[in-house]
């Protein structure tokens, strides 16, 4: 059995990067080819061999297939969906920087990713693209010249697909800036390309300045043994690891799936940080849940799971106004000045200041 599985793995373990290959591999029916080719003009198709090997052409509604195999639905754009749903462009003072909150910036040294997630809200920007040396230097200068920047968030694209040398240079440059106290790296690499996580990579990130890893993971099925090993390398080397997930229709929009995801993350020593409400990126309406559904789910988790497993449900206000916690209200101020408090069973209590 093991030998057969290894063989299957070696036969299947090729990355997928064109609509033609999707048809050949039976991942889309031939009559989807045209619409999918159209969708891939905005967001290319790319699956690592690690992910491709886990997608079964007999089960195209699986959480992995839904996330990574393009769908004709992506060509359908709703009226209120926009190219830049959270105002990255308007908050970009120089190439490679998004500065929306005073004390922290996004630094996007690379725009490509090892996989392209079909719900990506940066879909208009990601694709092959690397910040050139001059732009990278200007971006770092911007950080150096803004002493109010306490934290630098490496995002993209996926910063962990950079060469270890390039990554090391960026971390060195940030480490040398006194006011940068914390570096955060947002990545999907441990779950989509776990073999990239090596000692050389963790060495490239390890400096005086603490580096937090924020793993992007949406379903417990992503946490196969190789992915768990990759995560463990970060944790064992002293990197705090948090997670962010996106609430996605037919992928993780029920409380059991979310509970399993959050518990599995904690068992991997990952602290769930944010559960994002889907942004209104063009062609992603088939992934979006109603806000009320997300609020209901998150209140179910409150009673169901350890505090360690609770992410904060976040809405990024369209237009670039920032993120806010979007959970249900547990407190209501009454006219007489008292508070009505709702517990996890839905029972109300009075609280007096
Ligand atoms: C999400 C985001 C951050 C980080 O926000 P936190 O709430 O600190 O995680 C910072 N800058 C931009 C532009 C963002 O979109
Ligand atoms: S890894 Fe992140 S930036 Fe890249 S395609 Fe997926 S969601 Fe978008």
């Amino acid at each position: 059995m093991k030998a057969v599985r290894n063989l299957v793995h070696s036969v299947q373990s090729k990355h997928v990067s064109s609509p033609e290959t999707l048809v050949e591999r039976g991942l889309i029916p031939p009559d989807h080819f045209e619409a999918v080719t159209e969708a891939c003009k905005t967001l290319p198709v790319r699956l690592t061999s690690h992910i491709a090997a886990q997608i079964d052409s007999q089960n195209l509604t699986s959480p992995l297939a839904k996330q990574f195999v393009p769908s004709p639905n992506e060509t359908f754009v709703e009226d209120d969906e926009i190219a830049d749903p959270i105002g990255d462009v308007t908050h970009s003072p120089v190439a490679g920087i998004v500065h929306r909150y005073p004390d922290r910036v996004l630094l996007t040294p690379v725009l490509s990713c090892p996989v392209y997630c079909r719900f990506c809200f940066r879909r208009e920007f990601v694709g092959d693209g690397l910040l050139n040396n001059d732009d990278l230097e200007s971006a770092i200068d911007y950080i150096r010249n803004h002493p109010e920047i306490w934290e630098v968030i490496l995002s993209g694209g996926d910063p962990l697909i950079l060469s270890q040398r390039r990554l090391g240079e960026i971390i060195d440059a940030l480490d040398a800036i006194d006011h940068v106290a914390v570096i955060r790296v947002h990545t999907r690499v441990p779950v989509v390309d776990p073999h990239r996580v090596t000692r050389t990579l963790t060495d490239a990130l390890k400096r005086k300045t603490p580096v937090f890893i924020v793993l992007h993971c949406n379903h417990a099925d992503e946490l196969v043994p190789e992915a768990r090993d990759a995560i463990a390398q970060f944790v064992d080397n002293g990197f705090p690891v948090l997670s962010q997930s996106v609430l996605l229709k037919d992928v993780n929009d029920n409380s059991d799936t979310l509970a399993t995801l959050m518990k599995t993350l904690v068992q991997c020593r990952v602290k769930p940080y944010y559960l994002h409400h889907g942004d209104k990126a063009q062609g992603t309406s088939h992934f979006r849940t109603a806000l009320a559904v997300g609020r209901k789910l998150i209140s179910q988790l409150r009673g169901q799971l350890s505090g360690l497993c609770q992410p904060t449900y976040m809405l990024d206000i369209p237009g670039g106004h920032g993120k806010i916690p979007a959970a249900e209200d547990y407190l209501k101020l009454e006219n007489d000045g008292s508070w009505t408090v709702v517990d996890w069973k839905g029972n109300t209590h009075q609280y007096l200041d």
Side-chain angles (χ1 to χ4, degrees), residues 303-351:
Q304 201 175 342
L305 292 180
S306 156
L308 286 179
C309 304
Q310 307 285 343
T312 307
Y313 181 41
M314 298 299 280
L315 172 69
D316 215 318
I317 307 167
H321 305 288
K323 299 182 181 70
I324 53 137
E328 284 188 32
D329 301 323
Y330 295 96
L331 285 169
K332 185 164 154 251
L333 185 58
E334 303 295 348
N335 290 334
D336 66 359
S338 72
W339 292 92
T340 299
V341 184
V342 186
D343 69 23
W344 63 276
K345 289 179 178 159
N347 299 325
T348 54
H349 310 273
Q350 194 187 41
Y351 179 88

Side-chain angles (χ1 to χ4, degrees), residues 43 112-117 119-123 126 156-158 188 216:
L43 185 71
S112 46
C113 307
V115 287
Y116 290 118
C117 316
F119 52 84
C120 180
F121 63 93
R122 292 222 169 86
R123 56 197 302 113
V126 301
D158 196 318
R188 217 150 163 37
H216 179 172

Side-chain angles (χ1 to χ4, degrees), residues 32 46 76 91 132 149 188 196:
H32 282 184
R46 184 184 284 170
F76 172 71
H91 290 87
N132 66 37
I149 297 172
R188 217 150 163 37
R196 285 192 84 93

Side-chain angles (χ1 to χ4, degrees), residues 82-96:
I82 43 180
D84 181 18
I86 60 168
D88 282 347
V89 174
T90 43
H91 290 87
S92 180
V94 295

Side-chain angles (χ1 to χ4, degrees), residues 104-118:
R104 54 210 193 274
V105 289
L106 298 190
L107 171 61
T108 57
V110 58
L111 291 175
S112 46
C113 307
V115 287
Y116 290 118
C117 316
R118 304 323 300 177

